[in-house]
Amino acid sequence: MAGGTVTVTGAGSSVNSITLTNNQTLALAQQIAAAINAAAGGGTLTAFDLPGSTPVIPPGNVSEASIPPTVAGGSFNSPTGVQFLVDSATVPVTINGAANQTVLAGTGGTTFFGASGGTDEIVLGGGANLVALGAGSADQVNTGDGNDTIYANGSPTIDAGGGANLVFSGGIGTNTTLSLSSSANSTIIGGAGNTTIFGSSSGNQLFLGSGNSLLIEGVGADTINVGTGAATIFGNTGSDLIFGNTGALLFVAGTGPSTIFGGATSPTLFGSAGSDITYNGSQAGALYVAGSGTRP
């Protein structure tokens, strides 16, 4: 929550404002703006507006492509080899990204298609954004408090910010680290890749996939559907509702009450001091290591 505004030097020494809707994206935007503005102050910034051709960039200069606030929308190709892309548009735009680039956008609403390979830093201040990451990339994505849709690919690290987000964690070979931060009522769809998820203070719906999943819950009340892959879940203070499947389930309870409906495999359940676990299942061989809480 909170957030604020940063100003970034653009083409022709113009100054563009970018609004961020939470403190995390604001802090990252401040770092990006500081780097660009310092280069402008030192005379080493090569900045130009999109659409347009990339100018000659002198060795040692910082390069920036800018989508100005005056655009009426449209699709923009991010130039290869340019360090920064700053989207200050106040209307939704589409960006076709380039590898190894830092992207900063405000609250206008951005559709971002990532490049294959490379490492991008993507900071989207708010609004309803759609992010589709490229194969083989190792991107870092931070979004604001809008309702975002994110398609993971490669080995990304994602902080979905606030809002009711929809995140697809990716296919075979994908290794996703996802923080739900202050997300509220988000939906997570697991894939064939491996996923590590850090929960939020609000309840979320999680559908784990065929890859291995590690879920470290927040204090929110989550509904978790285990997939066909192995799932390790660490509870917290929230009320959990867990549905088993064919994937192996290891559950370590927090202090909040948990209700587990077993699937086709026998789970391993660890209680803790003050935990309350209700297990409903017909599979033989379930292992329950009790703590000092209630054991129905």
Side-chain angles (χ1 to χ4, degrees), residues 248-274:
L249 171 62
L250 170 62
F251 178 70
V252 181
T255 56
S258 302
T259 300
I260 302 171
F261 291 89
T265 59
S266 301
T268 299
L269 312 175
F270 288 89
S272 65

Side-chain angles (χ1 to χ4, degrees), residues 241-254:
L241 178 59
I242 301 173
F243 295 91
N245 201 321
T246 58
L249 171 62
L250 170 62
F251 178 70
V252 181

Side-chain angles (χ1 to χ4, degrees), residues 51-62:
S53 58
T54 304
V56 175
I57 302 171
N61 269 27
V62 172

Side-chain angles (χ1 to χ4, degrees), residues 137-148:
S137 60
D139 299 328
Q140 177 178 324
V141 181
N142 291 268
T143 62
D145 289 346
N147 300 330
D148 304 309

Side-chain angles (χ1 to χ4, degrees), residues 38-227:
T44 58
L45 176 67
T46 300
F48 59 100
D49 284 339
L50 296 177
S53 58
T54 304
V56 175
I57 302 171
N61 269 27
V62 172
S63 53
E64 175 201 359
S66 176
I67 301 174
T70 54
V71 300
S75 180
F76 300 86
N77 295 321
S78 185
T80 301
V82 173
Q83 293 167 268
F84 295 97
L85 188 147
V86 177
D87 169 20
S88 56
T90 57
V91 295
V93 299
T94 297
I95 298 172
N96 299 305
N100 303 316
Q101 193 169 75
T102 297
V103 178
L104 173 63
T107 57
T110 301
T111 296
F112 180 85
F113 295 103
S116 298
T119 302
D120 288 343
E121 180 182 11
I122 303 158
V123 181
L124 307 178
N129 303 295
L130 186 151
V131 178
L133 302 178
S137 60
D139 299 328
Q140 177 178 324
V141 181
N142 291 268
T143 62
D145 289 346
N147 300 330
D148 304 309
T149 300
I150 302 172
Y151 295 87
N153 213 331
S155 300
T157 300
I158 301 168
D159 190 319
N165 304 297
L166 175 60
V167 181
F168 296 87
S169 68
I172 295 174
T174 299
N175 294 285
T176 301
T177 300
L178 169 64
S179 173
L180 295 176
S181 186
S182 54
S183 295
N185 300 314
S186 289
T187 300
I188 313 303
I189 309 295
N194 300 324
T195 305
T196 299
I197 304 171
F198 296 89
S200 72
S201 58
S202 298
N204 299 289
Q205 297 271 346
L206 299 100
F207 299 86
L208 306 181
S210 58
N212 297 329
S213 300
L214 170 61
L215 171 59
I216 302 170
E217 293 194 78
V219 298
D222 296 322
T223 299
I224 304 161
N225 296 270
V226 176

